[in-house]
Structure formats: C-alpha cells, structure tokens
Amino acid sequence: MGAGFAGVECVRRLERKLVPGEAEIALVTPFAYQLYLPLLPQVAAGVLSPQSVAVSLRRSAKHRTRIVPGGVVGVDTKAKIAVVRKITDELDYERYDHLVLAPGSITRTFDIPGLVEHARGMKTLAEAAYIRDHVIAQLDLADASQDPAERESRLQFVVVGGGYAGTETAACLQRLTTAAVKRYPRLDPRLIRWHLIDIAPKLMPELGERLGQKALEILRDRGIEVSLGVSIAEAGPDKVTFTDGRVLPCRTLIWTAGVAASPLIGTLGAETVKGRLVVTPEMSVPGLDGVFALGDSAAVPDLSKGDSAICPPTAQHAHRQGKALADNLIRKLRGQPLQPYVHKDLGLVVDLGGSDAVSKPLGVELRGLPAQAVARGYHLMALRTNVAKTRVLTNWTLNAAAGDDFVRIGFLARKPATLRDFEYTDAYLSPEQVREHTESLVAKG
C-alpha cells in the first residue's frame, strides 16, 4: 500500500526477483505515478513541469503488478483484509497474505490559531501547482491594486520550516518572483519580501556547521529574511503574527514544518513511536501476522546509530528500506531467515535554484556549481524511468536558456485551498468501521 519511494522500490524489486507464478503482487495507490518529492519546489517555481516529477507506474512497473486505484483506509488484521477506498469513493477490499504498509506521511500541524485555514503545504503535486498559481496571482493583484496596504500584504511571503523542503521552496520561489517582477513595471522590487522562519536554532543542521552557515549566507545574500528560533503564533487571511511579536501583512503562508505519519497508522491499534508504527529491524509489525511497514510511517530502528535511534523520514531511507523489505518478503516466501535493515548514509544535496547549491556527498562538503552538479546528477539517477530523466533534463536546459515564465493556469483560482484540501485526511475508517465494512463486503462476495 503506497506508491512513494518505499512502496515503488519494494514492488520493482519483487518483480525482478520473484519467479513467475511464485506470488501475486497488487499495488494500492490513488495515483498511477510515483511523485519525486525532492523536486517539488522546482515545480512550484515553474522550473519543472508537473509531469516531469510524476513518474508513471505503468512505465516503471512490469505487467506482473496489478495497480489498484485507491487508498487503504483500514485493515482487518485478523481476517487479513485491507479495506480500499477507490478513487470513485466506493469501498472495496483486498485480501492479503503479506501486507506492506508504505502510506507515507502528511503535513504535520500544531494547534496554532488560523494555521489550518490559511496556510498552504508543499506535500503533493496539486499543492505545488496551486502555490505557483497563487504566488503569481499575488504579483498580478498587487500590480493592479491602488491600495498600498493591499499591495504590501500581497508582496510579502512567509515560509515556515528550515528543513530541506522549506529552504528549497523559499529559495526557488524567491528566484521566481525576482525574475517575474521585471515584467511588472508598476511594482517596486524592494517591496517583494520573502521570510523563512524556523523554531530551530540552526538552518538544516544535518548539513553540519560550515555548510549550514553557507546555505544561510546564500539565502540572506539573495534577500531572503531568515529568522531562527521563531515560529507562527497566529495566521490570518491578510496577516501573520510571529512568536517574537512581529506582525506581518501577508497573504501567502507556506507551511513545511515537518511531517506526521499517515492517519492510517492510528487506525491499526498497534504500538507507535511519535505516531510512527513500531517495527522490528526486519520491518515486520510485532503482533500482526503478515504485516510489514516502512518509510515515513514506520519507526524503523537505525542500527547504524544504535541507542534506540529510528530512521528519519527521508527519501534515501525509504528507497533503501523498499529494497531491503522486498528481499525479506522473498526470504519469507522461500522459508529463509529475514535480515535487518542497516543504512549507510550517502550524503545530502540541497538545490537552492540557479547556480546556488550546497551538497555533502559521502561527507565531502561542496558549494556553488560543483554542489549543483552533484545535486542534479543525484536527482537524475534517482528518477526511475528514462522518460522522466529526459523530461527533467530538458526542463532544466530550457529554463537555463530561456528563463522563467509567469503563466497562471487558473488551478482552483476561485477556491481558497487549505492544508487539508489536498491530503484527504478524513478518508480513514475506525477499527469498528473496518470490521463492519469487512463483514458486509465479504458477505456480498
């Protein structure tokens, strides 16, 4: 269940290693693509087209896998039945011998007044497309406005979250508005202000002291106002209040302050750690026969660190866990002992747009064009089809040669979207509802 990095890699490896007739594979996912999440900020900035980061499952998966268009909304672990809500909103079910849970994560929120109503996320392809339209719309509306107060509020943008998603989102979108304002002769470029804030004392601490400081300097040199040790106290339709007391006129609040496990995990009645499903080092769920979990929703022990550490919810971990779990499923089918997941870190890459980047491959600190080459080379290798690689490389080349475009496509133009509109968090069933639907669905045959 799930077509993110973990689920897709697990399926691909099963297809390659299983003998024909040895098993039947079904992949339950609402979309027939794998979203390449690390490049989503570049979709929001218009550097890449949405299709470029939506890797077709029907190209990357072989014909052995049956793709079920829907999402698992509950599991009857005793009957070994997964309840599926299809994209038509009808409920169906899938029987299983072995269930792999890779439902991923949703945007983590806090009890901050106005946050859910007025913030936008950066977790789905639709959100990235919406944010691009929204940001360009603010420039259009500010250019047409005769009210200085309205113009100021439309030209201030706040991104919350100093991790990779937030930092790259702020960097890419700030680059977009800097290029776009040249097409608006009535707008003063000095009025456009981007704010990146995070409650943590350092920006992307995973990069280390020197590289993290360099990333901070790059952002500030480009005019992005970075505030650390600060978060949001209240969000409104045309202003944002920071925890340090500042009140900014603002109509664009982008929230990237972490992720939480899929709500599906809370319906299983199994043990969790910070919302993530407890699993063994082999990624099986204790007490649930035939159930495995990995990726963002599973608390997979990080044996390389020890001391009860769990793997962070990153694409690199999810990708490798998918391979390791596929191998364990094959071992289980063939009566062989399972092997624990052990991770070896390959490093980090951060693309800040243009020639700005910082990278740390295999512990080597890079910045500027060398870092950009490593970052983009890594992304090209990680994309799973040659078609996706060609599209991304072509988009990068076109953007470098021709520059940005500033076209709004009118996506949800008259509907103010909120954090929850794109993530379908209300689709899941309680354990009681699962049992009820399981009984009725099975009775109908």
Side-chain angles (χ1 to χ4, degrees):
M1 182 264 163
F5 286 99
V8 168
E9 198 57 42
C10 184
V11 165
R12 285 169 55 88
R13 200 167 183 91
L14 288 172
E15 287 186 329
R16 287 196 302 269
K17 291 198 167 187
L18 285 172
V19 177
E22 191 173 7
E24 296 179 358
I25 308 169
L27 175 61
V28 182
T29 173
F31 306 109
Y33 63 79
Q34 176 196 359
L35 176 61
Y36 190 77
L37 200 62
L39 290 178
L40 212 52
Q42 295 192 33
V43 173
V47 176
L48 298 177
S49 66
Q51 192 177 10
S52 300
V53 300
V55 183
S56 171
L57 294 179
R58 300 193 183 275
R59 282 185 180 272
S60 61
K62 298 179 182 179
H63 297 299
R64 293 180 59 186
T65 297
R66 179 169 57 93
I67 298 177
V68 181
V72 173
V73 295
V75 180
D76 187 333
T77 56
K78 292 183 179 179
K80 287 197 169 184
I81 291 176
V83 180
V84 177
R85 188 183 297 278
K86 297 192 292 187
I87 57 175
T88 57
D89 214 33
E90 300 170 277
L91 289 178
D92 204 344
Y93 70 96
E94 292 284 332
R95 294 186 180 275
Y96 67 85
D97 295 305
H98 306 285
L99 175 65
V100 176
L101 295 173
S105 56
I106 62 172
T107 302
R108 180 183 63 179
T109 59
F110 301 97
D111 189 19
I112 298 173
L115 177 65
V116 173
E117 294 81 9
H118 302 295
R120 280 87 183 177
M122 182 59 76
K123 201 75 174 65
T124 68
L125 195 57
E127 283 176 311
Y130 177 86
I131 285 175
R132 173 173 169 75
D133 262 21
H134 174 80
V135 168
I136 296 174
Q138 301 315 298
L139 300 180
D140 290 343
L141 292 166
D143 182 66
S145 177
Q146 302 296 324
D147 183 354
E150 179 190 353
R151 181 175 293 186
E152 183 183 10
S153 68
R154 293 195 183 279
L155 296 180
Q156 295 219 62
F157 306 89
V158 175
V159 179
V160 184
Y164 297 104
T167 301
E168 291 187 340
T169 296
C172 290
L173 286 173
Q174 186 266 348
R175 188 171 177 269
L176 170 67
T177 56
T178 299
V181 75
K182 299 173 185 177
R183 308 289 182 176
Y184 296 84
R186 295 182 64 249
L187 291 183
D188 184 348
R190 293 171 297 181
L191 293 178
I192 299 178
R193 297 171 62 188
W194 281 88
H195 303 263
L196 175 62
I197 71 172
D198 196 287
I199 196 65
K202 293 182 180 180
L203 190 72
M204 293 184 293
E206 301 89 345
L207 287 173
E209 187 69 34
R210 288 186 302 176
L211 216 53
Q213 183 61 33
K214 181 59 181 178
L216 181 60
E217 291 172 3
I218 290 172
L219 296 178
R220 285 177 169 165
D221 287 345
R222 280 170 44 177
I224 298 176
E225 299 182 26
V226 182
S227 300
L228 301 174
V230 177
S231 188
I232 296 295
E234 185 176 356
D238 54 9
K239 67 178 180 180
V240 173
T241 304
F242 290 178
T243 53
D244 62 5
R246 282 180 290 167
V247 179
L248 294 182
C250 170
R251 300 187 189 223
T252 305
L253 174 60
I254 302 174
W255 181 267
T256 66
V259 296
S262 165
L264 174 65
I265 301 304
T267 70
L268 298 174
E271 184 182 357
T272 60
V273 173
K274 296 182 178 178
R276 300 170 71 185
L277 199 60
V278 169
V279 297
T280 67
E282 295 77 23
M283 290 173 282
S284 64
V285 181
L288 300 183
D289 181 41
V291 180
F292 299 81
L294 71 168
D296 291 4
S297 286
V300 179
D302 191 343
L303 300 183
S304 64
K305 294 181 180 178
D307 297 327
S308 301
I310 60 175
C311 298
T314 65
Q316 191 176 139
H317 274 290
H319 175 85
R320 294 186 175 194
Q321 287 168 9
K323 289 183 177 180
L325 181 50
D327 289 342
N328 272 343
L329 285 169
I330 294 169
R331 291 187 186 103
K332 188 173 179 65
L333 287 173
R334 297 173 182 173
Q336 300 168 352
L338 307 188
Q339 297 295 319
Y341 169 72
V342 181
H343 173 74
K344 182 180 179 182
D345 189 25
L346 291 179
L348 308 165
V349 295
V350 182
D351 190 336
L352 299 175
S355 61
D356 293 330
V358 292
S359 299
K360 197 175 181 180
L362 301 174
V364 179
E365 295 186 356
L366 301 173
R367 60 194 69 178
L369 287 175
Q372 184 68 281
V374 169
R376 296 200 167 184
Y378 171 81
H379 291 315
L380 285 176
M381 288 190 299
L383 289 163
R384 282 298 166 216
T385 67
N386 289 329
V387 171
K389 294 177 182 180
T390 302
R391 283 190 178 126
V392 167
L393 186 58
T394 301
N395 282 178
W396 279 339
T397 303
L398 182 62
N399 182 260
D404 300 288
D405 71 82
F406 320 109
V407 177
R408 285 186 290 116
I409 61 174
F411 184 68
L412 292 179
R414 297 185 180 275
K415 182 180 184 300
T418 67
L419 274 173
R420 296 304 183 213
D421 285 336
F422 297 105
E423 299 188 31
Y424 309 107
T425 54
D426 59 349
Y428 299 90
L429 304 179
S430 68
E432 294 75 18
Q433 290 174 313
V434 169
R435 286 192 293 272
E436 178 184 338
H437 282 286
T438 298
E439 292 171 359
S440 63
L441 289 169
V442 172
K444 292 178 182 178

